[in-house]
Amino acid sequence: MILIIDFGSQFNQLIARRVRENEIYCQVEPAGIDIERIKALNPEGIILSGGPSSIYEDDSPKVDTEIFNLNVPILGICYGMQFMVNALGGSIERSDKREYGFADLTIKDHAPLFTGLEKSTQVWMSHGDSTNRLPAGFTVTASTKNTEIAAMADNKNHFYGLQFHPEVEHTLGGFEMLKNFLFNVCHCEKSWTMSSFVTGAVEQIKEAVGDKKVIMGLSGGVDSSVAALLIHRAIGKNLYCIFVDNGLLRNNERTNLEKSLTTHLDMNIRFVDARRLFLDQLAGVEDPEKKRKIIGNLFIDVFEDEAKKIDGAEFLGQGTLYPDIIESKSAFGGPTSIIKSHHNVGGLPEKMKLKLVEPLQFLFKDEVRKLGLELGLNENLVWRQPFPGPGLAIRIMGAVSEKRLSILKAADTLLLEEIRAAGLYRKLWQSFAVLLPIKSVGVMGDKRTYDSCIAIRAVTSKDAMTADWARLPHELLATVSNRIINEVDGVNRVVFDITSKPPGTIEWE
Ligand code: XMP
C-alpha cells in the first residue's frame, strides 16, 4: 500500500485517486500519525502531500522524521518536498509572492521519475516558498524559469521531491510521474481490484459483527444500496434494511429499488409508507430551509420507530464514502481526530447506542459503482444520478402538495426518458425538472390557458462543488418541451436553466 501524508492540500484526494486508478491501494492519513502506526501499515511508498503552510511557521504540520529511516521510498509534493528538504538538512527560501499557474519544466535527469517524458513539459505550480539549498545526497532533476529546484532526487535513498503538482491534469506528464514512482521506484504490484476488496471486506464485517443484527437505512441511491449488498453478503438475514417512503422520490424509484435488491437476493427490507405523514407536515410550508428541517426530522422519527421494532440490533450500517472521512480528519490532527458520520441518521448511533458499520469508508464514488457492478447491482441503480435527501420537495418552489408533486413527477419522468434516449444520462451529473411557483398565459387548441411552468435543469460536474449548465441539443430540448406540454396536465410553458454554479446552485432551493 501507499501511504499519503495529509499536509492540508486541497488536492489530497486527487493524489489518492491517481494511486487507486493504478490499482494500488492507498490511505490518506493526517500528518500527526504515530510512527508506530506507519510501521504497522507497512507502506511500499510514502507520498507527502502539498499544503497551505510555510515550513518555518511554528504551527506548520509535521510528520515524524523517523519516516526517513524506514527504508521506504518517499515522494514529497510542494509543501511535502519542502518538509523533506528541511528535515534532511537543506533550506527553504521564504517568499510572500506566490507562483501560481502553468510553467514550463525542463528535465535534466529523466530516471526514474521522468522516464518516458519529453525534455520539456508543462507543469502546474502553486507555491510561495521554494528550496534554495538541497540536502546532502540530492541533485536537481528539473527546473522552471522561476524555480531552479523544481524537482530533486536522492536515488540512493529513493527520496524524491516535486515543487509542482503531478496530481492535477494541468501537469501534462503528472500521471506518468506518479506511475513511475509507484512502479519503477516503489515496485508496487497491481492488487487493488473490486473482487479482492469484496473478499477482504466480507471477512472484516463478519469479524466485527459476529452473529449480531445490523440495521440500515436505504435511500434508493447507490451508496446505501451497495453498502447493504456488501453487508448482506457477509451476514445475510441478520441485516435489516429500512426504506422510508416519504413520497418525495421520483416515479418508480421505490419499485426499482425493490426490484434491484430483492429479486436476486432474499434481503430483509422493510418499506415504511410515510407518504401521508410527510405531505401533511409539509402542507403550506414555503420556506426551503423549513421544508428541509421538517423532512430531516421526520425521517429520523420514522426510521427510529421502525428500528426499535428490530429487537437486539447492535449495529447501524452506513454508506459513508472515503471523501467524507478524509474531509472530516484535520490535516493537523492525529489518528483519533473526530470522523463525522454523514447522512440524515447522524445522531442515531448515540441515541440508540449503535456501533457503526461503514464498509465503503475507504472507497471513492467511482469505486463504489464498480463494486456495485461486482456485487450484481442493476446498472440503472449503479449509474443513478445523485438525488438530494429532501427529494422532490426542494424541486417544487413553494408549498408541496399532492397535485404539484404529481405534475413534477410526470414532467421529470418525461425529461429523463428523453435524456436517456439521447444517450446523455451518464454524461450529465444531474438532470431534472423543477416546478416553478408561477403561472403564465398560453394558447392551446384555440383556447387560452393559464397554467404552471416547468424549468429544465441539467448540469455537468465532477464533484457538485462547481457545475456548468449542460449544452443540451436544441432538438432534444424541443422534444422535451413538446412532450411535457402535451402530456402533463397543468403545464403550458417549459424553460431551460442556463446558470452555472457558482453563481447558481444546482438545486433551485
Ligand atoms: P447545490 O444545490 O447546493 O447541490 O448546488 C449540490 C449537490 O448536493 C445535493 N443536495 C442535497 N443533498 N440533502 C442532500 O442529501 C440536501 O439537502 C441537498 N441539497 C442539495 C444536490 O442534489 C447536488 O448534487
Side-chain angles (χ1 to χ4, degrees):
M1 65 92 67
I2 294 289
L3 171 66
I4 299 165
I5 299 291
D6 178 0
F7 283 137
S9 161
Q10 55 176 322
F11 300 126
N12 284 339
Q13 290 193 30
L14 268 186
I15 304 175
R17 299 297 335 280
R18 300 292 165 247
V19 177
R20 300 261 183 113
E21 278 163 13
N22 283 296
E23 292 179 14
I24 294 164
Y25 182 68
C26 65
Q27 249 174 258
V28 182
E29 293 291 332
I33 182 174
D34 193 83
I35 190 70
E36 292 308 319
R37 188 163 143 72
I38 296 182
K39 287 182 191 165
L41 287 170
N42 196 20
E44 295 160 282
I46 298 177
I47 298 179
L48 306 176
S49 88
S53 309
S54 182
I55 194 76
Y56 294 125
E57 284 165 10
D58 285 344
D59 56 356
S60 60
K62 294 174 180 66
V63 63
D64 194 324
T65 51
E66 189 56 26
I67 57 166
F68 296 106
N69 297 323
L70 296 179
N71 200 19
V72 171
I74 301 182
L75 170 65
I77 295 174
C78 198
Y79 175 88
M81 163 169 165
Q82 293 163 12
F83 179 85
M84 182 186 274
V85 167
N86 186 48
L88 298 175
S91 74
I92 303 296
E93 186 175 30
R94 294 201 66 166
S95 164
D96 293 333
K97 271 197 281 164
R98 281 192 85 71
E99 186 186 10
Y100 186 84
F102 297 105
D104 288 321
L105 186 80
T106 305
I107 296 171
K108 299 181 170 159
D109 191 351
H110 274 75
L113 237 50
F114 301 135
T115 306
L117 296 177
E118 301 283 323
K119 190 171 166 43
S120 175
T121 181
Q122 173 190 295
V123 297
W124 197 77
M125 291 281 197
S126 171
H127 68 116
D129 301 354
S130 42
T131 306
N132 62 0
R133 185 165 46 81
L134 288 172
F138 279 84
T139 54
V140 180
T141 52
S143 309
T144 66
K145 198 162 133 254
N146 292 330
T147 308
E148 165 62 20
I149 306 179
M152 61 177 199
D154 169 355
N155 284 321
K156 187 164 150 270
N157 287 304
H158 309 293
F159 295 155
Y160 302 91
L162 301 176
Q163 185 52 69
F164 52 89
H165 288 270
E167 68 276 23
V168 303
E169 288 179 24
H170 304 313
T171 295
L172 296 182
F175 302 173
E176 210 53 43
M177 296 173 200
L178 288 172
K179 248 190 191 165
N180 285 335
F181 178 69
L182 298 172
F183 297 111
N184 298 348
V185 178
C186 303
H187 303 293
C188 293
E189 299 224 351
K190 291 180 179 238
S191 59
W192 177 243
T193 60
M194 280 306 125
S195 69
S196 67
F197 172 81
V198 172
T199 316
V202 164
E203 279 315 305
Q204 279 173 8
I205 298 168
K206 275 186 183 159
E207 193 167 313
V209 173
D211 57 0
K212 301 290 188 296
K213 291 179 189 167
V214 178
I215 52 175
M216 162 137 209
L218 293 180
S219 67
V222 192
D223 305 345
S224 59
S225 305
V226 173
L229 277 182
L230 194 55
I231 299 175
H232 179 265
R233 190 169 279 203
I235 63 166
K237 281 283 185 194
N238 273 346
L239 172 69
Y240 293 77
C241 295
I242 299 171
F243 176 86
V244 176
D245 185 355
N246 58 13
L248 303 169
L249 288 173
R250 284 171 295 203
N251 273 341
N252 300 326
E253 284 195 312
R254 173 181 164 164
T255 341
N256 285 346
L257 180 77
E258 240 170 325
K259 267 201 218 141
S260 307
L261 293 183
T262 49
T263 2
H264 309 295
L265 299 158
D266 57 359
M267 237 166 129
N268 253 327
I269 308 184
R270 298 167 175 228
F271 288 88
V272 187
D273 186 353
R275 287 176 294 181
R276 193 70 265 155
L277 205 58
F278 279 82
L279 265 183
D280 285 349
Q281 290 217 9
L282 285 170
V285 182
E286 292 185 359
D287 180 77
E289 280 315 299
K290 271 197 194 137
K291 285 197 220 168
R292 270 202 172 73
K293 279 219 174 75
I294 291 171
I295 295 165
N297 291 339
L298 208 48
F299 176 84
I300 292 181
D301 290 349
V302 175
F303 185 88
E304 205 180 344
D305 276 352
E306 193 61 30
K308 275 188 201 143
K309 296 180 196 159
I310 300 158
D311 212 24
E314 291 190 14
F315 292 87
L316 178 75
Q318 284 201 332
T320 317
L321 301 195
Y322 201 31
D324 300 321
I325 302 271
I326 298 177
E327 272 162 25
S328 60
K329 282 188 184 185
S330 147
F332 307 95
T336 52
S337 54
I338 300 154
I339 293 172
K340 91 181 158 194
S341 278
H342 86 150
H343 253 258
N344 330 33
V345 283
L348 220 60
E350 297 87 54
K351 228 170 149 189
M352 296 185 67
K353 301 203 169 42
L354 296 170
K355 287 171 263 182
L356 286 177
V357 187
E358 297 179 305
L360 311 182
Q361 62 170 312
F362 289 112
L363 300 188
F364 289 100
K365 188 81 176 187
D366 61 325
E367 293 173 324
V368 171
R369 291 206 159 108
K370 272 193 210 154
L371 176 59
L373 292 173
E374 175 79 26
L375 293 169
L377 190 64
N378 111 11
E379 289 223 358
N380 276 345
L381 225 168
V382 167
W383 291 105
R384 184 183 185 255
Q385 291 174 353
F387 187 70
L392 299 181
I394 57 168
R395 294 178 182 170
I396 292 178
M397 306 298 98
V400 177
S401 66
E402 216 156 338
K403 169 97 181 96
R404 302 192 77 208
L405 255 175
S406 82
I407 291 178
L408 180 62
K409 281 186 190 178
D412 198 66
T413 304
L414 293 182
L415 170 69
L416 288 187
E417 263 178 39
E418 292 301 330
I419 297 253
R420 282 207 164 92
L424 291 175
Y425 183 80
R426 284 192 201 175
K427 295 193 178 128
L428 299 170
W429 174 263
Q430 278 170 296
S431 47
F432 54 87
V434 179
L435 178 60
L436 303 189
I438 48 164
K439 288 192 165 190
S440 70
V441 174
V443 53
M444 275 173 94
D446 293 337
K447 267 198 355 218
R448 178 187 188 273
T449 57
Y450 186 57
D451 273 333
S452 294
C453 178
I454 285 283
I456 296 170
R457 181 70 165 145
V459 295
T460 53
S461 173
K462 282 214 158 104
D463 50 14
M465 304 293 282
T466 60
D468 197 11
W469 63 275
R471 275 43 170 186
L472 296 185
H474 286 179
E475 284 311 313
L476 170 67
L477 289 170
T479 310
V480 170
S481 164
N482 269 336
R483 284 199 64 192
I484 291 179
I485 290 169
N486 285 315
E487 297 176 40
V488 182
D489 221 16
V491 178
N492 68 350
R493 193 176 292 269
V494 174
V495 297
F496 183 44
D497 180 355
I498 53 169
T499 322
S500 289
K501 172 182 179 175
T505 51
I506 296 176
E507 304 288 346
W508 275 45
E509 279 194 345

